[in-house]
Amino acid sequence: MARPSGARYTFVMQFLIGILGILVAIGIWSWRLRMAREGARAAADMARTAASLPRRMAFKYRSGRNGLDLIDDPREAAAIMMMELARARGGPLTDRQSDSMTEEMMQHFNFTRDEAHELVGHAAWVTNKAPLPQETMRRLSQKIVGDRYLGPKEVVDLDSMLVAVSEAEGTPTRDQLSLLQIFRDRAGLKT
């Protein structure tokens, strides 16, 4: 094969080197754009992570706490205490006990029947995951007594609500009286 003459050879070589240079330049710029895009994506991910940090920390804080520690409404605490008293009789929750709790909530909390039923259901769910009934009563009694918005009248009202639930199926059992006594001791009520 014959070699092209000098001027033509030089032109072909310059042309090939020019095309190779252009391809290398395109490759380098495409690599740099990809790196910049990945850097921007990493920065955006870091910004999203930083933005969600307070929410994640709050969830981590709340998830590390016991379910009873999350209760801040005294009405919810009272409903859970009534549920513990009803369950202390042994066996499943009866209709009379549920009706008694509903009536007490409607009377003392000014709830509608639906709201009271909803709170009874919530209390049943919480007590399924709560610690032992005695510990639950101690902790919730302390929340009730320590609530700055509740006075002696509300504490006495809660005692009458607890008594009504414990008597829904007749004379209270020893376990029910024991739980009732825990509340009364914490509240400073004389029996």
Side-chain angles (χ1 to χ4, degrees):
M1 183 148 142
R3 232 171 144 190
S5 65
R8 191 170 170 203
Y9 177 74
T10 306
F11 174 74
V12 171
M13 290 307 284
Q14 287 176 347
F15 180 73
L16 289 176
I17 289 175
I19 289 179
L20 185 62
I22 290 172
L23 290 175
V24 168
I26 290 172
I28 289 173
W29 279 104
S30 114
W31 176 77
R32 290 187 69 170
L33 287 173
R34 188 168 32 103
M35 289 294 122
R37 189 172 44 242
E38 287 177 13
R41 189 175 297 133
D45 288 345
M46 206 177 327
R48 276 192 294 275
T49 301
S52 68
L53 183 64
R55 182 177 45 82
R56 284 188 300 119
M57 291 304 289
F59 173 76
K60 190 173 185 180
Y61 171 73
R62 290 177 72 91
S63 68
R65 293 171 60 194
N66 184 305
L68 295 180
D69 293 332
L70 299 175
I71 296 169
D72 54 2
D73 187 345
R75 297 172 298 187
E76 182 182 7
I80 293 167
M81 292 169 73
M82 286 188 285
M83 184 61 71
E84 287 290 4
L85 265 169
R87 288 187 169 181
R89 181 171 274 291
L93 185 69
T94 66
D95 288 338
R96 277 194 228 160
Q97 290 169 323
S98 179
D99 291 344
S100 175
M101 290 177 15
T102 301
E103 293 300 322
E104 292 296 323
M105 288 180 204
M106 289 170 54
Q107 179 183 353
H108 292 281
F109 301 159
N110 295 323
F111 278 4
T112 64
R113 186 165 299 281
D114 289 338
E115 291 170 332
H117 279 301
E118 191 174 309
L119 189 53
V120 168
H122 174 70
W125 179 79
V126 170
T127 56
N128 284 336
K129 299 182 183 312
L132 294 174
Q134 295 81 3
E135 177 64 20
T136 300
M137 287 298 281
R138 270 190 218 91
R139 290 171 64 184
L140 294 179
S141 297
Q142 193 60 44
K143 282 186 183 279
I144 296 288
V145 172
D147 192 300
R148 62 182 174 181
Y149 298 111
L150 300 179
K153 179 194 179 311
E154 288 81 10
V155 172
V156 170
D157 286 348
L158 178 55
D159 183 62
S160 71
M161 293 168 72
L162 294 172
V163 168
V165 170
S166 70
E167 294 175 346
E169 287 293 329
T171 306
T173 65
R174 186 178 318 239
D175 290 338
Q176 287 177 311
L177 292 174
S178 169
L179 292 179
L180 191 56
Q181 192 60 48
I182 290 171
F183 171 70
R184 288 177 172 168
D185 290 345
R186 294 280 174 162
L189 298 174
K190 302 292 182 215
T191 55

